[in-house]
Amino acid sequence: MSSAPAARSGSDRADRPAEGAEAPGHAAEAVRSAPADRPGSAEIVHIVGARPNFVKAAPVVAALEARGLRQSVVHTGQHYDDRMSAVFFRELGLPRPDVDLGVGSGSHAEQTAALMTGLEREFIERSPGLVVVYGDVNSTLAAGMVAAKLHIPVAHVEAGLRSFDWSMPEEVNRRLTDQLADVCFATSPEAVGHLAAEGVAVDRVHLVGNPMIDTLLARLDRFDTAALRERLDLPGSYVAATLHRPANVDDPETVARLVARLHEVADQIDVVMPVHPRGRASLDAAGLAEHPRMHLLEPLGYIDFVALVRGATAVVTDSGGVQEETTMLGVPCLTLRPNTERPITITHGSNRLVTDSELPGLVSKILAGAGTDTAALAAVPPMWDGGAGERIATVLADWTSGVPAPGPRRSA
Ligand code: UD1
Ligand code: UDP
């Protein structure tokens, strides 16, 4: 398979904008390939690179595998430490990547340029029929841009999430990827609305549920908090914490403030924190470890991490995925951010946005049995039922075989 990817033909249709979409100046939305142009037998290539990608891709790859579709997994190497990458392949049943581009770390421009160069070479060689990208990391956007310019169709899993905060690199990545994608898979209804408002054609959008939750629900019997406690010598009750957003861990003054607040939490209850490599140096420098009830760990593998979260009295985080996992597990989640692209974890879950100054007081309320005030634990987000990978595979199987895919699905 070394031929150049097929260009879209003159029979391309002009997609109709989504219902209710305001698309000024876009009477006809982007021209995209008609089913007949899609090479039915060609390979589906999944692009993964960073920790959250692996958790999202696993159920999609498995569901496509079960249907016997030809596929391969390209690892960009954005994350490369065993604890940030290989452990997920071992634990989640992901096939060993067919190739690892070994891109590694760098500034946004350096990393994105290296990603694009490596992916372009790979795509020209493989000539995939479809590229599937996940979430909102630099690997996601780089793959979307390269594929679009090679006229290779793109499917985006976890499309339409919006924090409306352009200072976040993830907001840039997810918005641009959605514009490039031929097929958008949304994890929650408001994401469908955001895509419509941005003029994404309705027939490109599918509400399918959350593959990250598929991964969690399929392994519920493996998250053994008691065994983890014993193995890692953890306290009986604790708050679990993770921090890695640039806005929280890059600026020394902010880090010093957060460390002081985490120590105020540790005055009340032990804090167990697997430290993301991004924040390791700055948190160390600010003396994070200098409290007898702070337990700092290396990043955990997926099974250990979810076991830690499941057994926590509360979670303090700035992670996207952890907001979703706590929602499903019913663990109070205090998110140290001014906004979230996952508001459904507040309306249907246990999440609450907090400032650092609110944090110690809210933890003491939780310890007093007051919950997080906003916990809406009776409701589970629609379609967060373990079936997202299957739904995605159904759409992709139809799509690659030239059958027009169904429109957006909404929960009953
Ligand atoms: C990336 C994503 C972020 C996602 C996060 C999940 C972008 C722009 N950011 O952030 O959206 O929430 O992954 O974890 O894509 N490092 C290591 N070992 C590794 C990987 C990284 O030590 O295996 C260190 C390096 O010093 C690197 C830094 O972490 O410079 C940041 O890594 P990078 O992938 O650029 O961004 P993350 O902060 O991990
Ligand atoms: N995770 C893990 N070990 C850890 C921290 C996180 O296995 O020490 C998992 C967890 O399931 C989480 C996912 O990795 O949902 C992605 O987490 P991260 O916070 O790195 O990325 P984000 O979701 O913020 O993009």
Side-chain angles (χ1 to χ4, degrees), residues 50-53 55-56 79 83-84 87-88 91 136-137 158 170 212 215-216 241-245 273-276 297-306 308-309 317-325 337 341-342:
R51 182 162 73 178
N53 294 161
V55 186
K56 292 163 197 171
H79 284 176
R83 288 166 180 274
M84 297 295 290
V87 65
F88 294 88
E91 292 187 350
D136 53 20
V137 302
E158 201 187 81
E170 294 81 6
M212 195 168 224
T215 298
L216 180 115
T242 77
L243 289 178
H244 74 280
R245 293 278 157 224
M273 184 160 177
V275 181
H276 188 289
L297 307 173
E298 291 296 311
L300 291 173
Y302 178 78
I303 300 293
D304 282 353
F305 180 75
V306 182
L308 180 78
V309 167
T317 194
D318 58 12
S319 158
V322 175
Q323 294 173 62
E324 297 180 344
E325 288 155 353
R337 285 179 47 186
E341 62 290 329
R342 293 164 163 88

Side-chain angles (χ1 to χ4, degrees), residues 12-23:
D12 286 347
R13 68 190 149 79
D15 288 345
R16 122 191 96 89
E19 274 165 40
E22 284 179 34

Side-chain angles (χ1 to χ4, degrees), residues 64-130:
L64 289 170
E65 186 66 29
R67 285 159 193 259
L69 269 80
R70 193 148 65 85
Q71 58 181 342
S72 59
V73 174
V74 171
H75 192 324
T76 65
Q78 178 175 345
H79 284 176
Y80 41 85
D81 291 343
D82 184 88
R83 288 166 180 274
M84 297 295 290
S85 173
V87 65
F88 294 88
F89 286 80
R90 292 196 295 273
E91 292 187 350
L92 302 183
L94 270 166
R96 203 184 143 91
D98 294 81
V99 59
D100 187 335
L101 301 178
V103 164
S105 307
S107 71
H108 282 280
E110 287 166 346
Q111 188 179 59
T112 306
L115 285 161
M116 290 182 73
T117 309
L119 287 164
E120 184 179 60
R121 200 176 303 123
E122 197 60 33
F123 290 170
I124 288 172
E125 197 171 304
R126 282 176 188 274
S127 187
L130 178 72

